[in-house]
Amino acid sequence: MKQPDEQDRVLVSPRHLAGRGDRLSDVLGPLIHLFEWKHNHRPASGRVTVESPDGSTFVDFTPSGFDEPWWTIRHHEPYWKITAGRQTPLEALAAVTQALPQLLSDACHREQIPLASRSVTEIASVNSWTTEGTSITSADGHCTLHHRPDTEQPWLVESSVYDGFDTHWFASFEGDVPDALVRQFLAHLASTEPVERTLADVPYLSRYSARITPMHGSALGPHIVHALAALPSQPNPQRSR
């Protein structure tokens, strides 16, 4: 199979190694177009802000430095805030923002936007993440969800590939953040289903640890090839004789 070029579409797993992706519309679009939240776009800076109809909840996307928050989701009363860094996978963030209207008692489109029903530990277990004490870690050890109850920051997600350049990202959950949003985030982060990216979107150092399959070039289809690549290799019976 031909090796993909930088602009080729690929499937990537695990998701925490895939980089942020390019589906910004999945994070903000439903709030604006389906739920009619007010929004403001500043083309010069790329900043986009979205506000709930009742003025209680805000989503702020501000492209900035590598180590600074790019995303802020906050609620006034009770106070809580979620911040996330540049390479945070957009699938996990979209799962959070799309759930916001339901938490504000807007039941429209709830059938199209299901909420995660399992607990955090159950989500981790079914996706082969391991729990040790108050931390939950991905199977490859590169991503960890820290739970620190009774603190101002009860949940923190950190991910990096040996602290390599442009592989580090974080998501911080502060104040009285609803557990439903933590479950949404983890369910769409820890999922074993691959996500689609251009190869250029995948941080360079992450490519050595991630499983990457070209979207084109195989008669079996990319999802089948990607799934087969996860299977353990079998010994050659001819060589075992």
Side-chain angles (χ1 to χ4, degrees):
M1 184 182 297
K2 172 182 172 292
Q3 292 299 310
D5 297 324
E6 287 293 300
Q7 297 307 315
D8 286 345
R9 305 296 293 185
V10 295
L11 294 178
V12 186
S13 65
R15 294 183 174 193
H16 55 268
L17 298 181
R20 67 182 181 276
D22 55 9
R23 298 300 297 270
L24 181 65
S25 61
D26 288 349
V27 184
L28 300 175
L31 295 178
I32 297 169
H33 301 297
L34 293 180
F35 298 98
E36 300 182 349
W37 287 30
K38 294 177 287 186
H39 70 285
N40 181 43
H41 179 212
R42 302 176 186 176
S45 64
R47 183 181 183 187
V48 183
T49 56
V50 182
E51 179 183 349
S52 64
D54 65 0
S56 68
T57 310
F58 299 84
V59 180
D60 186 316
F61 169 68
T62 303
S64 52
F66 279 82
D67 298 324
E68 299 174 17
W70 280 43
W71 293 93
T72 301
I73 305 167
R74 69 183 189 277
H75 185 271
H76 283 315
E77 194 63 43
Y79 170 77
W80 56 261
K81 181 173 72 172
I82 300 171
T83 56
R86 173 177 178 270
Q87 289 289 25
T88 306
L90 293 180
E91 291 81 6
L93 288 168
V96 169
T97 58
Q98 292 177 22
L100 293 175
Q102 292 188 55
L103 297 185
L104 300 178
S105 301
D106 186 342
C108 292
H109 309 290
R110 64 181 179 183
E111 293 182 358
Q112 292 85 1
I113 306 174
L115 300 182
S117 58
R118 291 188 172 104
S119 69
V120 168
T121 54
E122 288 173 333
I123 292 169
S125 178
V126 299
N127 290 291
S128 299
W129 287 41
T130 58
T131 300
E132 184 174 350
T134 59
S135 295
I136 300 171
T137 303
S138 61
D140 63 6
H142 292 309
C143 188
T144 299
L145 170 64
H146 305 280
H147 186 205
R148 297 178 290 200
D150 303 322
T151 71
E152 294 183 358
Q153 187 187 54
W155 300 93
L156 174 66
V157 183
E158 293 183 298
S159 182
S160 72
V161 180
Y162 308 119
D163 207 25
F165 173 74
D166 205 27
T167 68
H168 184 270
W169 61 264
F170 70 92
S172 171
F173 299 77
E174 303 174 29
D176 294 322
V177 63
D179 286 345
L181 296 183
V182 180
R183 295 196 300 267
Q184 284 291 102
F185 188 92
L186 184 62
H188 289 261
L189 174 68
S191 171
T192 57
E193 289 296 314
V195 291
E196 186 176 332
R197 299 284 188 267
T198 64
L199 183 60
D201 286 336
V202 184
Y204 184 77
L205 292 177
S206 293
R207 301 178 193 181
Y208 294 96
S209 300
R211 188 163 76 252
I212 300 174
T213 303
M215 290 290 294
H216 304 286
S218 171
L220 290 176
H223 283 83
I224 294 176
V225 172
H226 195 84
L228 290 175
L231 298 176
S233 58
Q234 297 297 319
N236 187 329
Q238 296 297 326
R239 293 183 178 179
S240 63
R241 294 177 181 176

